[in-house]
Amino acid sequence: MTRVAIFGASGFVGSTLAEELMADGVDVRCMIHSTGNAWRLARHGIDLKICDLMDIESIRTALSGCSHVVNCSRGKGNVMVDGFRNLLTACREIQPHRFVHISSVAVYGEVFDSDCISEDHPTRPEHGSYGWKKLQQDQMLMKEAQRGLPAVAICPPNISGPYSMFCDEICNNLRSGSFAFVDQGRFPCSLVDVGNLVQAIRLGLEADVVDGRRVFVCDQPTETWHRIATALARIVGVTEDIPNVSSDEAKRRVAALTAPSGSTRKTIGHLVSSEVRASLRKDPYIGKLEKLAVGWAKRLPAAIQDRLRDDVRHIKPAQNSNRSLSVRLMAQQIRNISYDNSLARDCLGYQPRIDFQSSIASFERFAELHWGLGSSPFQLLNAHS
Amino acid sequence: MTRRFRVAIAGCGKIAVRHVEACLLSPQVELVALVDPTLERASELAGKFGIDPGLFANLEKVLGNVDGVIIAAPNNFHRSLAIQCAAAGVHVLIEKPIAGSSEDSDAICAAHEKSGTVCAVGFVTRFRDNNRQMYQLIKSGYFGEVEEFAYQFGSRGGWAPLSAYNLDKHATGGGVVVVTGSHFLDRMLHWFGEPDDCGMWSDAQGGPEANALTCFRFQRGESSIFGSARFSKSVALAPRFVMRTSQGIVLLEDTPNARIQFSPAGSPVDLSVNLNEKNDNIFRAQIEDFATACLSGGPPAVSGREAARSVFLTEQLYERCHPLDEAPRSGRLEQRSVIHD
């Protein structure tokens, strides 16, 4: 590898990858969207390139002289789709040796035909969701691979290890008493340690099978939520029993949180909202319908239009009946799914080096360093909050 | 009718938005000019608020028409801009920190002392009611003798200035200790005075540190106050100050409207912060404090000399910096390293 371009280098995965490649002497070019989140990399005193994925010239400049490309970028609104399209267009021009894209298990949505799925399982993300945008990216990547871009999409579940936001979220919820097991934590929780994920990315940068396919990268065996939460509870010193809800109760709470009631008034209000229309008109077909619908809505008296807009602004998530327990983490538990990583083993030669215990241990070490976990100031700060 | 205090803002990046807002809220202040070498930024900022001040690419043309200048440019420009203002007899309110080095701080203060103009520094969290109350209660001995304190503030990144100078340690004067930590260091100096020892452990590896633990010891007769402060730009740490005293535990979440919690002998008591309506916008309180100081000849809440103390302390910390993985688990300085001025 002569030079690896990492887009989204300031994120959790991008930073870990960049640090590991730099430690091995690989020439890395780190592309970031802004300096706000790039401190982890900046501390190395390296040159960071600000690159706007919505500006193809900015991408072309960034890619100059790069032989390999890794995309770890995220983004708001249309950046994930339009920005990724720009990135692929620029790559078509420079023809990198390999292109590794970080996909997500979110592309599969929330409905599964079995409790352990492989990559060819139907993708059913909710329209417009994060998973839907990642799926658009995967589909664009597949097309570009058919045109000759040597590419692979690495598809991780929740990521553990140092800087893990997933572990951090569970720890925070455990400390505040808002984490609850569903059915005593019996459900599977697919994880990949960030070190193993980086290993998979590096294998992808050298892989032979580079037809744009999506490849699950996860640790095996799949852990349960009980094992993970109890391991993290030990780290943060939570000794009392972790609350528990039944799966029926969890499903009820999740449904209450995710199913806003509809009304004609809200629908009209959405049409009048400029933010909603801006998103809709990006699709050429919906855009035409949108014009018709907006034309109709605009014929309403101005006062009524204003009132409808206000209604849209006032739409809030449904209230959780018990605010003290994290419904988000309940929703993850009742997904009840694990992922078959045999394709990663066969195609990439992926062999996870870091087991669950080691991953938890490295997170604990990270917490000691960065939170001061176990130190006297940490105890003073946290014993009285 | 009294003429309003006329100000210009030099540097039209993100923090300037808060200063414009404050100027517009205050009946005492009139914003007459926005200055930025990239004129589009000045224009965009004016457009954001629908105002029509003069827009200038450099300060020179503004100085004859203003009473004071808010310097909101990157830290490494503070010295030249502040001295330019002093030479023209114009007061300054400088965004924190006053400068990136003690040498620059001294030069700024000396220039304004010579010209008889006010040099105030924008440690805006000093204007929070809870911090003011904490200062008064510590000084009055309400909590008893302070034995130990710990502070933390961390976020996964965040503030990204338009000029992207925040990651350039030569422009800022350091890393997270300067960018995030200087507010607390200033308050700590205000509350406890200058420490006798200090030490720092960071994750810097050639660039600005993203994580740092700083430790302090304050000699009080035969005993000492031990303090620590942890700052992060890569890890979320709930902003919090906790103090152990001879009377109990004092806790203050480091947020604008948090109340001081005092637990004497394990029995929690809520101390109410006396809310001052004026301080609903601390940037407004700050600019009005500055204007009042300039017009009355009195001192501002945070003078240049006072602010220079945190710059000096920061330099001492960087001189005593060690790798993060060598930080003491006790959070206490183990080796004596007395600070000499």
Side-chain angles (χ1 to χ4, degrees):
Chain A
M1 286 183 279
T2 53
R3 181 181 286 165
V4 181
I6 304 174
F7 288 82
S10 59
F12 170 33
V13 177
S15 291
T16 309
L17 174 66
E19 286 183 340
E20 191 171 301
L21 290 174
M22 287 188 297
D24 287 351
V26 177
D27 189 0
V28 176
R29 182 175 289 172
C30 295
M31 259 64 80
I32 61 173
H33 177 65
S34 79
T35 56
N37 297 330
W39 285 82
R40 182 177 163 190
L41 285 179
R43 72 196 173 96
H44 295 285
I46 58 170
D47 191 20
L48 303 171
K49 304 281 183 197
I50 295 180
C51 179
D52 180 2
L53 286 175
M54 300 303 282
D55 174 8
I56 195 162
E57 281 307 318
S58 166
I59 301 172
R60 286 187 177 115
T61 305
L63 283 174
S64 169
C66 294
S67 58
H68 295 70
V69 179
V70 180
N71 176 47
C72 305
S73 69
R74 294 184 61 156
K76 293 177 182 169
N78 54 352
V79 174
M80 278 181 65
V81 177
D82 294 346
F84 187 68
R85 184 180 294 114
N86 287 339
L87 178 57
L88 290 179
T89 302
C91 283
R92 199 181 302 153
E93 295 162 11
I94 71 148
Q95 298 185 336
H97 296 168
R98 293 287 183 278
F99 183 102
V100 176
H101 168 63
I102 307 302
S103 180
S104 167
V105 295
V107 301
Y108 292 95
E110 301 297 324
V111 181
F112 303 100
D113 300 337
S114 66
D115 56 9
C116 181
I117 65 169
S118 57
E119 289 82 351
D120 55 4
H121 187 276
T123 49
R124 301 165 182 142
E126 184 184 341
H127 188 84
S129 65
Y130 171 75
W132 180 83
K133 290 173 186 170
K134 294 302 283 184
L135 182 59
Q136 305 305 301
Q137 292 184 331
D138 288 3
Q139 290 168 345
M140 282 190 269
L141 184 72
M142 185 65 86
K143 281 184 188 166
E144 206 58 43
Q146 286 164 1
R147 288 175 173 161
L149 179 71
V152 63
I154 301 284
C155 190
N158 286 316
I159 306 169
S160 60
Y163 289 96
S164 164
M165 285 170 280
F166 176 69
C167 293
D168 191 47
E169 182 182 5
I170 295 178
C171 286
N172 285 335
N173 280 276
L174 284 165
R175 283 156 71 177
S176 65
S178 54
F179 178 84
F181 284 132
V182 177
D183 283 359
Q184 306 294 344
R186 70 180 174 86
F187 291 112
C189 180
S190 267
L191 280 182
V192 62
D193 182 90
V194 67
N196 290 335
L197 179 57
V198 164
Q199 180 208 359
I201 295 169
R202 297 183 71 167
L203 289 167
L205 288 170
E206 296 167 354
D208 293 328
V209 181
V210 281
D211 55 4
R213 73 178 62 177
R214 187 184 309 119
V215 180
F216 285 144
V217 171
C218 51
D219 295 345
Q220 300 269 316
T222 302
E223 297 300 332
T224 62
W225 281 86
H226 186 271
R227 277 233 327 153
I228 293 166
T230 49
L232 293 172
R234 180 193 59 76
I235 288 176
V236 294
V238 171
T239 52
E240 58 267 34
D241 288 344
I242 296 171
N244 180 70
V245 298
S246 69
S247 49
D248 286 343
E249 171 67 5
K251 284 173 187 168
R252 191 187 62 72
R253 291 187 186 215
V254 171
L257 199 70
T258 55
S261 60
S263 76
T264 310
R265 186 190 185 88
K266 282 182 185 173
T267 303
I268 298 171
H270 281 126
L271 289 174
V272 180
S273 159
S274 60
E275 290 166 21
V276 174
R277 294 205 321 271
S279 297
L280 284 175
R281 75 169 69 94
K282 301 234 177 311
D283 181 293
Y285 298 113
I286 295 177
K288 284 179 186 169
L289 284 174
E290 188 255 359
K291 274 187 185 171
L292 287 171
V294 169
W296 174 78
K298 289 282 184 187
R299 284 201 286 273
L300 294 168
I304 295 178
Q305 286 189 45
D306 288 346
R307 181 72 190 275
L308 290 169
R309 282 193 193 93
D310 285 347
D311 279 359
V312 172
R313 291 187 193 115
H314 293 157
I315 293 171
K316 292 182 173 65
Q319 294 298 306
N320 176 9
S321 57
N322 187 342
R323 285 182 158 272
S324 65
L325 295 178
S326 167
V327 178
R328 201 184 105 79
L329 290 171
M330 286 182 203
Q332 287 210 26
Q333 291 181 66
I334 58 176
R335 288 182 95 226
N336 187 20
I337 194 72
S338 57
Y339 307 95
D340 178 1
N341 73 357
S342 51
L343 186 62
R345 291 174 184 273
D346 296 343
C347 292
L348 301 179
Y350 172 66
Q351 291 289 340
R353 296 166 303 183
I354 302 165
D355 64 15
F356 175 68
Q357 293 298 346
S358 303
S359 183
I360 291 293
S362 64
F363 181 76
E364 185 171 8
R365 178 68 183 135
F366 159 81
E368 287 169 355
L369 274 180
H370 294 84
W371 307 349
L373 180 75
S375 68
S376 300
F378 179 86
Q379 286 163 9
L380 183 62
L381 284 161
N382 291 282
H384 304 283
S385 58
Chain B
M1 184 180 166
T2 312
R3 183 177 64 80
R4 292 202 289 171
F5 187 78
R6 295 168 307 169
V7 299
I9 298 176
C12 295
K14 285 196 172 172
I15 197 66
V17 173
R18 304 301 308 275
H19 290 294
V20 173
E21 200 173 67
C23 290
L24 296 177
L25 281 169
S26 173
Q28 298 177 34
V29 174
E30 181 184 4
L31 178 62
V32 297
L34 295 174
V35 184
D36 197 294
T38 308
L39 258 181
E40 291 79 17
R41 282 190 193 149
S43 176
E44 278 174 24
L45 184 58
K48 198 181 186 87
F49 288 90
I51 55 174
D52 189 26
L55 305 178
F56 299 93
N58 63 66
L59 202 52
E60 196 178 348
K61 293 175 182 169
V62 175
L63 292 177
N65 298 316
V66 296
D67 302 307
V69 171
I70 300 171
I71 297 177
N75 302 352
N76 53 331
F77 292 103
H78 288 187
R79 177 177 177 161
S80 59
L81 291 170
I83 290 176
Q84 191 182 357
C85 290
V90 172
H91 309 287
V92 291
L93 167 61
I94 306 173
E95 252 305 325
K96 65 87 190 172
I98 180 173
S101 69
S102 281
E103 187 190 339
D104 285 357
S105 307
D106 285 342
I108 291 169
C109 294
H112 281 275
E113 283 158 2
K114 188 179 172 189
S115 67
T117 45
V118 170
C119 174
V121 177
F123 280 111
V124 73
T125 61
R126 286 262 208 118
F127 290 88
R128 287 184 186 164
D129 286 300
N130 50 17
N131 286 331
R132 287 179 163 186
Q133 190 186 31
M134 181 66 88
Y135 170 75
Q136 288 159 2
L137 293 175
I138 290 172
K139 291 291 173 195
S140 69
Y142 181 87
F143 300 125
E145 293 296 320
V146 179
E147 296 168 353
E148 181 183 8
F149 68 81
Y151 175 82
Q152 64 176 19
F153 191 110
S155 60
R156 290 192 194 99
W159 178 65
L162 298 179
S163 60
Y165 84 99
N166 58 327
L167 298 182
D168 178 356
K169 69 176 179 178
H170 301 294
T172 61
V176 67
V177 171
V178 173
V179 174
T180 298
S182 57
H183 276 299
F184 177 73
L185 295 182
D186 167 68
R187 290 203 303 271
M188 182 189 79
L189 288 164
H190 187 52
W191 293 348
F192 301 108
E194 286 165 18
D196 294 280
D197 301 355
C198 71
M200 172 169 156
W201 292 264
S202 90
D203 63 354
Q205 295 186 5
E209 77 283 354
N211 290 273
L213 173 70
T214 55
C215 295
F216 309 93
R217 188 180 63 79
F218 302 78
Q219 193 70 42
R220 294 288 188 270
E222 292 299 305
S223 59
S224 292
I225 299 172
F226 290 96
S228 71
R230 182 178 293 276
F231 309 109
S232 178
K233 276 289 188 184
S234 63
V235 175
L237 301 170
R240 184 174 296 156
F241 172 79
V242 180
M243 182 165 69
R244 189 193 309 278
T245 74
S246 56
Q247 302 292 326
I249 297 291
V250 182
L251 182 151
L252 177 59
E253 303 291 345
D254 193 9
T255 53
N257 299 313
R259 288 180 171 194
I260 296 169
Q261 310 284 317
F262 183 32
S263 306
S267 171
V269 174
D270 258 17
L271 286 182
S272 296
V273 174
N274 294 321
L275 290 173
N276 180 343
E277 197 178 330
K278 192 176 78 169
N279 284 6
D280 279 352
N281 184 309
I282 53 176
F283 280 82
R284 173 181 167 181
Q286 180 177 257
I287 187 68
E288 290 185 345
D289 170 77
F290 172 58
T292 301
C294 297
L295 295 172
S296 70
V302 187
S303 69
R305 285 290 176 199
E306 195 175 359
R309 297 193 308 167
S310 62
V311 176
F312 176 71
L313 179 58
T314 304
E315 287 174 340
Q316 299 301 307
L317 288 168
Y318 281 119
E319 279 181 18
R320 294 159 168 79
C321 189
H322 306 280
L324 190 59
D325 59 5
E326 294 175 10
R329 305 282 288 165
S330 65
R332 292 187 174 194
L333 293 166
E334 288 166 353
Q335 289 183 330
R336 192 172 173 80
S337 55
V338 178
I339 299 170
H340 297 287
D341 201 343

